[in-house]
Amino acid sequence: MLLASHTHAQPTEEVYPSRPIRLITPAPPGGSTDLLARLIGPRLAQVFNRQVVVDNRGGGGGVVAAELTAKAAPDGHTLLMAYSQHTTNVSLNPKLSYRAVDDYQPIVHVTSAPLVLVVNTGLTANSVQDLITYGKTNPGKLNLSSAGNGSGGHIAAELFKYMTKTPLQHIPYKGMGPAIVDVVGGNVQGIFAGIVPVQPLLKSGRVRALAVTSAKRVPSAPELPTVAEAGVPGYEVITWYGILAPAGVPKPIVTRLNTEIVKILRAPDVQQRLTSDGAEVIAGTPEAFEKTLREEMEKLGRMVKATGARLD
């Protein structure tokens, strides 16, 4: 009698995707990571003729989303819209249950972007130097929120504190959205935030921008100085955003995902939207992104050690 044999083959490029794609985002709606996911997701859905579901999993400093992705089947149907926090967590949290690079398959480095330092309009600070003076003359009263431990805003605040010797307290939130809301409400005095989510608040006058964290001014706000220009020489913080998959995704699927997402990022309307907000569109190869991730882990590790940044 012949025995039936059942094999579970990995999906191939020809049949991929065979069901909806889950794009896990380590933040609630409203922040830069979520906005990028919702910019790319619908366009990728059109290309594949499959639904791309943005699954917001904020909290845990990005750890919850990263764990879900690492444990998912390596078939290209689960992706992670990662950002700088993913590599910073390695230095901040020695108890991670995953390896930040080796347990993932890099797909594409989407953008690199600066942050903008904004403050509550009720604060008597119209410049970076004013903020430093406020912090030094009002010990214990300068609180800067962030999207969470290990986020770009967290590292930016710690570097600012270290380089200026300004007393300040970092207050982590579960995502950029709620962190900005409390700046508007005056519960915290300021934040290093993504430019995109704070632009509507800047235009309506609900928060005040003081400077950007890049080495050069950004096209969307040329009137804003860099933090370095404003009196903190050498200060620079650039955040990265990219898409990862679980380790082990077949090469043809990795190649197809990279190819299609790169096409999306290089579309004129997408390029214009991202660059006008101060972001640099990278859209490189998976191999180049892996190299960047390893370099970022090393660089951010040095920064965390120098500043004494810790989980709050």
Side-chain angles (χ1 to χ4, degrees):
M1 184 170 78
L2 293 176
L3 295 176
S5 75
H6 299 280
T7 60
H8 298 281
Q10 290 277 17
T12 64
E13 186 179 10
E14 288 75 21
V15 298
Y16 174 81
S18 59
R19 61 180 188 275
I21 294 172
R22 182 187 185 194
L23 181 53
I24 299 176
T25 304
S32 297
T33 316
D34 176 68
L35 293 170
L36 274 175
R38 295 180 190 280
L39 177 66
I40 294 168
R43 289 166 174 79
L44 195 61
Q46 286 184 333
V47 172
F48 286 149
N49 197 29
R50 291 283 183 182
Q51 187 179 14
V52 175
V53 180
V54 176
D55 184 0
N56 294 93
R57 295 298 182 110
V63 172
V64 173
E67 285 180 340
L68 282 172
T69 306
K71 293 174 182 177
D75 57 13
H77 291 91
T78 301
L79 305 174
L80 175 67
M81 185 73 239
Y83 70 115
S84 300
Q85 193 172 26
H86 186 77
T87 41
T88 312
N89 279 339
V90 176
S91 299
L92 286 174
N93 187 353
K95 297 180 181 179
L96 289 178
S97 64
Y98 55 84
R99 297 168 297 175
V101 179
D102 293 339
D103 287 345
Y104 300 87
Q105 168 58 59
I107 301 297
V108 62
H109 184 171
V110 175
T111 66
S112 291
L115 300 171
V116 58
L117 172 58
V118 302
V119 295
N120 176 270
T121 54
L123 193 68
T124 56
N126 294 300
S127 69
V128 169
Q129 287 302 319
D130 285 348
L131 188 66
I132 293 170
T133 300
Y134 175 85
K136 289 181 176 180
T137 56
N138 296 276
K141 292 187 178 180
L142 180 56
N143 298 299
L144 299 185
S145 63
S146 82
N149 284 309
S151 65
H154 178 194
I155 296 303
E158 295 292 353
L159 186 62
F160 186 82
K161 177 181 179 180
Y162 172 75
M163 292 182 71
T164 65
K165 304 296 186 288
T166 302
L168 65 85
Q169 180 65 40
H170 163 244
I171 311 293
Y173 283 71
K174 293 183 178 180
M176 183 62 72
I180 293 173
V181 166
D182 266 12
V183 176
V184 175
N187 295 318
V188 290
Q189 285 67 52
I191 185 173
F192 284 93
I195 294 175
V196 176
V198 298
Q199 272 190 337
L201 299 173
L202 290 171
K203 289 177 180 176
S204 64
R206 299 177 71 191
V207 294
R208 181 189 306 123
L210 302 184
V212 292
T213 64
S214 48
K216 297 179 180 179
R217 298 191 182 201
V218 300
S220 60
E223 75 283 358
L224 280 180
T226 66
V227 176
E229 280 182 306
V232 192
Y235 184 97
E236 182 183 8
V237 174
I238 299 294
T239 56
W240 64 261
Y241 299 85
I243 294 178
L244 304 173
V249 174
K251 180 68 173 177
I253 292 176
V254 173
T255 300
R256 187 169 181 210
L257 277 167
N258 175 269
T259 299
E260 299 301 346
I261 296 171
V262 165
K263 286 179 185 175
I264 290 168
L265 294 172
R266 290 181 178 167
D269 62 322
V270 175
Q271 284 256 358
Q272 193 280 329
R273 179 170 173 182
L274 293 173
T275 56
S276 67
D277 292 324
E280 178 188 0
V281 178
I282 307 299
T285 65
E287 293 77 16
F289 187 26
E290 180 175 344
K291 183 173 183 289
T292 297
L293 290 172
R294 295 190 186 280
E295 289 171 349
E296 283 292 307
M297 272 202 307
E298 184 179 342
K299 182 179 76 175
L300 289 165
R302 291 196 304 269
M303 196 178 294
V304 167
K305 186 176 181 179
T307 62
R310 58 184 176 77
L311 296 175
D312 293 299

